[in-house]
Amino acid sequence: MSLIEDLNWRYATKKMNGAVVPQDKLDYILEAARLAPSSSGLQPYRIIVVSDKEVLEKIKAIAFDQSQIVDCSHLLVFAAWDGYTYEKIGEVFKRTTQERGLPDDAMSAYHDRLWSMYEPLGQQWHFNHAAKQAYIALGTAVAAAAEQRVDATPMEGFIPEKLDEILGLAEKGLKSAAILPLGYRDEANDWLVNQKKVRTPKEEFIIEVK
């Protein structure tokens, strides 16, 4: 099947049936997210995979009681770095040069130039920038889930500070950006399942500059 067919199949599932997503499908979705592009290849975010029912109940309580959170198979939490540091960036570039068999200082000039741009912009800009990178992985995960015929509902409807507290993200230098329940649609009880997909017409959505 084509990507367009996959995207037409998916929708923002409102009611899931509690069925478990097989491990191979979960692994596929997570690997697709891991392979997503990011600015300078930094991947300044992590994905927390939550399946513990007690933890999911706690998250539901700070996410406006959205049922998908407890009825899903796994909840993916996309958590961005709370800020950039010279050292964090350096660790990523060190791994890159080692994996590519390059000299240790092969990215030193770029490292210094990047940090000279990022440092003055402040920690809030850092987090916002990192969160934007996380959203690229989120979109990739949504598309991969559709390919695997796994339902996925991207959400921002939660209290980030409370979610960070539940998952202990501050200790990891992370802040939650978005969440993605994975599971299977409850066709008998989801009001949206048979509704027509509506998007902005192509003629309005795409603006060409020639």
Side-chain angles (χ1 to χ4, degrees):
M1 290 192 179
S2 73
L3 176 59
I4 298 302
E5 290 174 322
D6 296 336
L7 294 176
N8 273 310
W9 171 85
R10 73 155 305 278
Y11 72 108
T13 310
K14 301 304 180 186
K15 182 66 178 173
M16 293 183 172
N17 64 15
V20 176
V21 174
Q23 189 64 45
D24 63 326
K25 290 181 179 291
L26 175 64
D27 290 344
Y28 183 93
I29 294 164
L30 292 170
E31 182 65 0
R34 190 181 73 89
L35 292 172
S38 62
S39 180
S40 297
L42 291 176
Q43 293 182 286
Y45 53 87
R46 295 294 180 264
I47 301 175
I48 295 87
V49 183
V50 184
S51 58
D52 184 291
K53 295 303 182 184
E54 290 186 9
V55 176
L56 291 172
E57 286 287 355
K58 290 179 181 178
I59 295 173
K60 180 188 175 190
I62 57 92
F64 308 102
D65 289 320
Q66 295 178 87
S67 66
Q68 303 98 315
I69 292 170
V70 293
D71 293 336
C72 70
S73 171
H74 299 81
L75 180 71
L76 307 189
V77 178
F78 290 76
W81 289 0
D82 59 8
Y84 291 116
T85 67
Y86 187 83
E87 291 72 25
K88 278 184 178 180
I89 294 171
E91 287 172 8
V92 176
F93 289 166
K94 180 179 180 180
R95 181 188 305 121
T96 300
T97 55
Q98 288 177 342
E99 290 285 335
R100 292 175 175 172
L102 299 173
D104 290 344
D105 62 354
M107 298 186 73
S108 295
Y110 183 70
H111 182 189
D112 291 342
R113 185 166 70 254
L114 192 66
W115 182 239
S116 72
M117 296 165 54
Y118 283 7
E119 183 181 22
L121 295 171
Q123 192 162 7
Q124 186 59 51
W125 183 94
H126 291 180
F127 169 71
N128 291 342
H129 184 267
K132 289 177 182 178
Q133 313 314 305
Y135 270 84
I136 300 173
L138 173 70
T140 303
V142 169
E147 183 186 19
Q148 296 296 306
R149 290 301 184 263
V150 172
D151 287 300
T153 306
M155 295 179 176
E156 286 185 323
F158 61 93
I159 302 171
E161 296 79 9
K162 295 291 186 182
L163 181 55
D164 296 353
E165 183 179 342
I166 290 169
L167 297 177
L169 296 185
E171 293 83 354
K172 299 177 176 66
L174 299 169
K175 294 170 68 176
S176 53
I179 60 178
L180 184 68
L182 299 176
Y184 295 100
R185 61 191 67 177
D186 182 347
E187 296 198 22
N189 296 295
D190 190 339
W191 65 268
L192 190 57
V193 66
N194 292 317
Q195 297 295 312
K196 180 182 179 180
K197 184 186 289 289
V198 179
R199 294 291 188 268
T200 303
K202 182 171 64 175
E203 295 76 15
E204 295 179 31
F205 184 73
I206 299 169
I207 301 172
E208 294 192 56
V209 179
K210 295 183 177 180

